[in-house]
Amino acid sequence: MPAPETPQRTALVTGASSGIGAATVRALAAAGFATVAAARRVDRLEALAREVGGRAVALDVTDAASVAAMAEQVGDVDVVVHSAGGALGSDRIEDGDPEGWKTMYDTNVVGVLRVHQALLPGMRRGGNGHVVVLGSIAGFEVYPGGGGYTAVKHGVNALVRTLRQELLGEPIRVTEIAPGMVETEFSLVRLGSQEAADKVYEGLTPLSAEDVADVIAFAVTRPAHVDLDKVVVRPVAQADAAHVHRA
């Protein structure tokens, strides 16, 4: 008799309307997952969902009601990729905007908390869950002008490490992906102009969103007993957050 077919696993990706999130939806669909693309810009999500044959759902990770509505709409999922996040500003700490810091913390840290709490029961029921959190090298390095973002991403790193301990003994893997320089809308949103964003990547070849998505897809397709604990991925031209080689 032929072996029974393995049920298709479902992966939800937050922040899926652009950048690493959108690339991850494409990569996971190609790897055989049923995908749910979640973000605020629903028009982009719907186009992406049509492209990959998945679903789109509106989600604002800073809004508890939005998270609850998303969870009710999508039901149980097996994999959650927490890609929603971002940075605001590059001021020195003495000039930092407390409201900007609060926004970053709410999106990058509390947003993961809200979505995780909403979807964890379904992941437990599935028996083969995987939590993937998009961190950053800013989660373990610092640099001048990055105080707000590095503080937030250090918080993300602490959250992920705590999750590993709390979920120990359950069939749920936890992976942190920590990229260096990736050319997406990240710098445009952070710095407020295309000219300033272009200078960040001037003279070097940064990672692409697809590079990071490939790593995420690899992590979630390992055998169930294998957990890629933390993956750091940088462009060759970057040694750390403060040192890059420009041609």
Side-chain angles (χ1 to χ4, degrees), residues 73-164:
Q73 182 176 345
V74 304
D76 291 359
V77 301
D78 303 289
V79 175
V80 181
V81 180
H82 296 271
S83 179
L88 295 172
S90 56
D91 296 330
R92 292 166 59 89
I93 291 174
E94 64 194 77
D95 301 316
D97 173 19
E99 293 306 313
W101 284 45
K102 289 178 183 178
T103 297
M104 285 191 287
Y105 194 85
D106 198 22
T107 304
N108 289 271
V109 181
V110 184
V112 172
L113 170 68
R114 292 188 183 100
V115 173
H116 178 74
Q117 289 175 335
L119 298 179
L120 179 60
M123 298 176 74
R124 282 180 165 141
R125 283 189 290 269
N128 184 14
H130 202 147
V131 178
V132 180
V133 182
L134 192 68
S136 169
I137 60 171
F140 56 91
E141 298 176 355
V142 297
Y143 55 94
Y149 185 60
T150 57
V152 164
K153 284 302 188 182
H154 274 67
V156 170
N157 175 258
L159 183 155
V160 174
R161 288 186 288 121
T162 304
L163 268 182
R164 289 197 193 97

Side-chain angles (χ1 to χ4, degrees), residues 8 17-18 21 60 68 83 95 105 108 116 129 143 146 151 157 163-164 170 175 177 183 188 194 230 242:
Q8 186 180 32
S17 61
S18 66
D60 180 351
S83 179
D95 301 316
Y105 194 85
N108 289 271
H116 178 74
Y143 55 94
N157 175 258
L163 268 182
R164 289 197 193 97
E170 298 193 47
T175 298
I177 307 294
E183 188 169 10
L188 175 60
Q194 190 62 57
K230 178 176 181 176

Side-chain angles (χ1 to χ4, degrees), residues 9-71:
R9 299 172 74 206
T10 299
L12 180 139
V13 182
T14 72
S17 61
S18 66
I20 294 171
T24 298
V25 170
R26 294 186 178 98
L28 295 183
F33 285 85
T35 59
V36 182
R40 292 176 298 176
R41 293 178 287 188
V42 178
D43 55 335
R44 292 191 180 191
L45 293 180
E46 290 175 343
L48 177 60
R50 286 193 298 270
E51 175 190 334
V52 302
R55 289 185 286 167
V57 59
L59 173 65
D60 180 351
V61 300
T62 68
D63 183 336
S66 175
V67 173
M70 173 276 297

